[in-house]
Short mmCIF file of all heavy atoms in Angstrom, two decimals:
data_model
loop_
_atom_site.label_atom_id
_atom_site.label_comp_id
_atom_site.label_asym_id
_atom_site.label_seq_id
_atom_site.Cartn_x
_atom_site.Cartn_y
_atom_site.Cartn_z
N LEU U 513 119.53 110.23 171.80
CA LEU U 513 118.34 109.38 171.88
C LEU U 513 117.72 109.38 173.32
O LEU U 513 116.70 108.75 173.52
CB LEU U 513 118.75 107.93 171.55
CG LEU U 513 119.11 107.70 170.05
CD1 LEU U 513 119.62 106.30 169.85
CD2 LEU U 513 117.91 108.00 169.19
N GLU U 514 118.35 110.16 174.22
CA GLU U 514 117.74 110.20 175.57
C GLU U 514 116.42 110.94 175.56
O GLU U 514 116.26 112.02 175.01
CB GLU U 514 118.70 111.00 176.47
CG GLU U 514 118.22 110.99 177.92
CD GLU U 514 119.21 111.65 178.86
OE1 GLU U 514 120.41 111.80 178.48
OE2 GLU U 514 118.81 112.10 179.92
N GLY U 515 115.42 110.26 176.05
CA GLY U 515 114.09 110.88 176.06
C GLY U 515 113.21 110.47 174.91
O GLY U 515 112.02 110.55 174.96
N VAL U 516 113.81 109.99 173.80
CA VAL U 516 113.04 109.62 172.67
C VAL U 516 112.20 108.38 172.94
O VAL U 516 111.09 108.27 172.44
CB VAL U 516 113.94 109.34 171.43
CG1 VAL U 516 113.18 108.81 170.27
CG2 VAL U 516 114.69 110.64 171.00
N THR U 517 112.69 107.51 173.83
CA THR U 517 111.90 106.32 174.20
C THR U 517 110.65 106.73 174.87
O THR U 517 109.60 106.14 174.69
CB THR U 517 112.72 105.43 175.14
OG1 THR U 517 113.27 106.16 176.21
CG2 THR U 517 113.91 104.82 174.34
N LYS U 518 110.69 107.79 175.73
CA LYS U 518 109.48 108.31 176.38
C LYS U 518 108.53 108.83 175.41
O LYS U 518 107.28 108.69 175.49
CB LYS U 518 109.84 109.31 177.43
CG LYS U 518 110.56 108.76 178.65
CD LYS U 518 110.76 109.84 179.69
CE LYS U 518 111.52 109.33 180.92
NZ LYS U 518 111.72 110.34 181.96
N LEU U 519 109.05 109.51 174.41
CA LEU U 519 108.18 110.07 173.32
C LEU U 519 107.50 108.93 172.55
O LEU U 519 106.30 109.04 172.30
CB LEU U 519 109.01 110.91 172.38
CG LEU U 519 108.34 111.40 171.06
CD1 LEU U 519 107.10 112.26 171.39
CD2 LEU U 519 109.32 112.14 170.21
N LEU U 520 108.25 107.89 172.30
CA LEU U 520 107.66 106.77 171.55
C LEU U 520 106.60 106.02 172.43
O LEU U 520 105.61 105.56 171.91
CB LEU U 520 108.75 105.76 171.12
CG LEU U 520 109.80 106.35 170.18
CD1 LEU U 520 110.85 105.29 169.81
CD2 LEU U 520 109.11 106.82 168.89
N ASP U 521 106.86 105.95 173.76
CA ASP U 521 105.86 105.38 174.64
C ASP U 521 104.55 106.22 174.62
O ASP U 521 103.43 105.66 174.61
CB ASP U 521 106.39 105.28 176.08
CG ASP U 521 107.44 104.18 176.18
OD1 ASP U 521 107.53 103.35 175.35
OD2 ASP U 521 108.20 104.28 177.19
N SER U 522 104.71 107.53 174.69
CA SER U 522 103.54 108.38 174.60
C SER U 522 102.81 108.20 173.27
O SER U 522 101.56 108.20 173.27
CB SER U 522 103.98 109.87 174.79
OG SER U 522 104.60 110.04 176.08
N MET U 523 103.55 108.08 172.21
CA MET U 523 102.95 107.89 170.91
C MET U 523 102.15 106.62 170.86
O MET U 523 101.00 106.58 170.34
CB MET U 523 104.04 107.87 169.84
CG MET U 523 103.50 107.75 168.39
SD MET U 523 104.76 107.26 167.22
CE MET U 523 104.80 105.49 167.55
N LYS U 524 102.67 105.58 171.50
CA LYS U 524 101.96 104.27 171.49
C LYS U 524 100.67 104.34 172.29
O LYS U 524 99.63 103.78 171.89
CB LYS U 524 102.89 103.20 172.06
CG LYS U 524 104.04 102.82 171.13
CD LYS U 524 104.99 101.79 171.76
CE LYS U 524 106.16 101.53 170.85
NZ LYS U 524 107.17 100.58 171.52
N ARG U 525 100.74 105.04 173.46
CA ARG U 525 99.56 105.22 174.24
C ARG U 525 98.48 106.01 173.54
O ARG U 525 97.25 105.68 173.57
CB ARG U 525 99.88 105.86 175.61
CG ARG U 525 100.65 104.97 176.57
CD ARG U 525 100.57 105.52 177.97
NE ARG U 525 101.23 106.81 178.06
CZ ARG U 525 102.53 106.98 178.40
NH1 ARG U 525 103.29 105.89 178.54
NH2 ARG U 525 103.04 108.18 178.44
N VAL U 526 98.83 107.09 172.90
CA VAL U 526 97.93 107.87 172.13
C VAL U 526 97.36 107.08 170.95
O VAL U 526 96.16 107.15 170.67
CB VAL U 526 98.55 109.18 171.57
CG1 VAL U 526 97.63 109.93 170.62
CG2 VAL U 526 98.88 110.14 172.78
N LYS U 527 98.22 106.32 170.30
CA LYS U 527 97.76 105.48 169.17
C LYS U 527 96.79 104.46 169.62
O LYS U 527 95.75 104.16 168.92
CB LYS U 527 98.97 104.85 168.52
CG LYS U 527 98.64 103.97 167.29
CD LYS U 527 99.90 103.52 166.56
CE LYS U 527 99.57 102.71 165.37
NZ LYS U 527 100.77 102.31 164.60
N THR U 528 97.01 103.87 170.83
CA THR U 528 96.03 102.87 171.27
C THR U 528 94.71 103.37 171.69
O THR U 528 93.64 102.79 171.43
CB THR U 528 96.71 102.13 172.49
OG1 THR U 528 97.92 101.56 172.11
CG2 THR U 528 95.78 101.04 173.05
N ARG U 529 94.67 104.58 172.32
CA ARG U 529 93.45 105.06 172.89
C ARG U 529 92.78 106.25 172.14
O ARG U 529 91.56 106.41 172.23
CB ARG U 529 93.72 105.54 174.32
CG ARG U 529 94.25 104.45 175.19
CD ARG U 529 94.45 104.84 176.63
NE ARG U 529 94.96 103.75 177.46
CZ ARG U 529 95.09 103.82 178.82
NH1 ARG U 529 94.71 104.90 179.43
NH2 ARG U 529 95.58 102.83 179.46
N LEU U 530 93.57 107.03 171.44
CA LEU U 530 92.96 108.25 170.87
C LEU U 530 93.13 108.43 169.39
O LEU U 530 92.32 109.06 168.73
CB LEU U 530 93.62 109.48 171.58
CG LEU U 530 93.35 109.64 173.07
CD1 LEU U 530 94.25 110.71 173.68
CD2 LEU U 530 91.88 109.88 173.34
N ASN U 531 94.23 107.94 168.79
CA ASN U 531 94.57 108.15 167.37
C ASN U 531 95.19 106.94 166.74
O ASN U 531 96.42 106.84 166.72
CB ASN U 531 95.46 109.42 167.22
CG ASN U 531 95.72 109.78 165.82
OD1 ASN U 531 95.13 109.21 164.87
ND2 ASN U 531 96.52 110.85 165.62
N PRO U 532 94.36 106.01 166.29
CA PRO U 532 94.89 104.71 165.77
C PRO U 532 95.81 104.84 164.55
O PRO U 532 96.59 103.92 164.28
CB PRO U 532 93.60 103.93 165.42
CG PRO U 532 92.52 104.58 166.13
CD PRO U 532 92.90 106.03 166.27
N THR U 533 95.70 105.97 163.79
CA THR U 533 96.46 106.11 162.54
C THR U 533 97.83 106.71 162.81
O THR U 533 98.66 106.86 161.89
CB THR U 533 95.79 106.98 161.57
OG1 THR U 533 95.61 108.32 162.08
CG2 THR U 533 94.38 106.39 161.25
N LEU U 534 98.12 107.13 164.07
CA LEU U 534 99.42 107.82 164.39
C LEU U 534 100.56 106.93 164.13
O LEU U 534 100.61 105.76 164.58
CB LEU U 534 99.37 108.33 165.80
CG LEU U 534 100.56 109.19 166.21
CD1 LEU U 534 100.54 110.51 165.43
CD2 LEU U 534 100.47 109.44 167.71
N ASP U 535 101.61 107.43 163.47
CA ASP U 535 102.84 106.69 163.21
C ASP U 535 103.98 107.62 162.95
O ASP U 535 103.78 108.84 162.84
CB ASP U 535 102.63 105.77 161.98
CG ASP U 535 103.51 104.50 162.06
OD1 ASP U 535 104.48 104.54 162.86
OD2 ASP U 535 103.31 103.57 161.35
N ILE U 536 105.19 107.13 162.82
CA ILE U 536 106.34 107.98 162.55
C ILE U 536 106.45 108.25 161.05
O ILE U 536 106.52 107.32 160.27
CB ILE U 536 107.65 107.28 163.06
CG1 ILE U 536 107.56 107.19 164.62
CG2 ILE U 536 108.93 108.12 162.66
CD1 ILE U 536 108.80 106.46 165.19
N TYR U 537 106.49 109.50 160.70
CA TYR U 537 106.69 109.92 159.28
C TYR U 537 108.11 109.90 158.91
O TYR U 537 108.48 109.52 157.81
CB TYR U 537 106.07 111.34 159.11
CG TYR U 537 106.04 111.77 157.68
CD1 TYR U 537 105.31 111.11 156.71
CD2 TYR U 537 106.81 112.86 157.30
CE1 TYR U 537 105.30 111.56 155.41
CE2 TYR U 537 106.76 113.32 155.99
CZ TYR U 537 106.05 112.66 155.06
OH TYR U 537 106.02 113.09 153.71
N GLY U 538 108.99 110.38 159.84
CA GLY U 538 110.38 110.38 159.52
C GLY U 538 111.19 110.94 160.72
O GLY U 538 110.67 111.67 161.55
N VAL U 539 112.46 110.55 160.73
CA VAL U 539 113.38 111.01 161.76
C VAL U 539 114.47 111.85 161.04
O VAL U 539 115.01 111.40 160.00
CB VAL U 539 114.03 109.90 162.59
CG1 VAL U 539 115.05 110.37 163.53
CG2 VAL U 539 112.99 109.07 163.29
N LEU U 540 114.71 113.05 161.52
CA LEU U 540 115.56 114.01 160.87
C LEU U 540 116.83 114.30 161.72
O LEU U 540 116.70 114.67 162.88
CB LEU U 540 114.84 115.27 160.58
CG LEU U 540 115.66 116.41 159.91
CD1 LEU U 540 116.13 115.99 158.53
CD2 LEU U 540 114.84 117.73 159.88
N LEU U 541 117.97 114.12 161.16
CA LEU U 541 119.24 114.38 161.86
C LEU U 541 119.52 115.88 161.66
O LEU U 541 119.65 116.38 160.54
CB LEU U 541 120.38 113.54 161.31
CG LEU U 541 120.29 112.04 161.60
CD1 LEU U 541 121.27 111.27 160.73
CD2 LEU U 541 120.48 111.74 163.05
#
Side-chain angles (χ1 to χ4, degrees):
L513 292 175
E514 184 176 340
V516 175
T517 52
K518 290 185 179 180
L519 171 61
L520 297 179
D521 288 341
S522 298
M523 184 196 78
K524 290 176 183 177
R525 288 197 296 271
V526 171
K527 183 173 183 177
T528 301
R529 301 185 179 185
L530 298 169
N531 186 2
T533 63
L534 186 64
D535 208 345
I536 295 177
Y537 185 64
V539 176
L540 177 65
L541 292 167

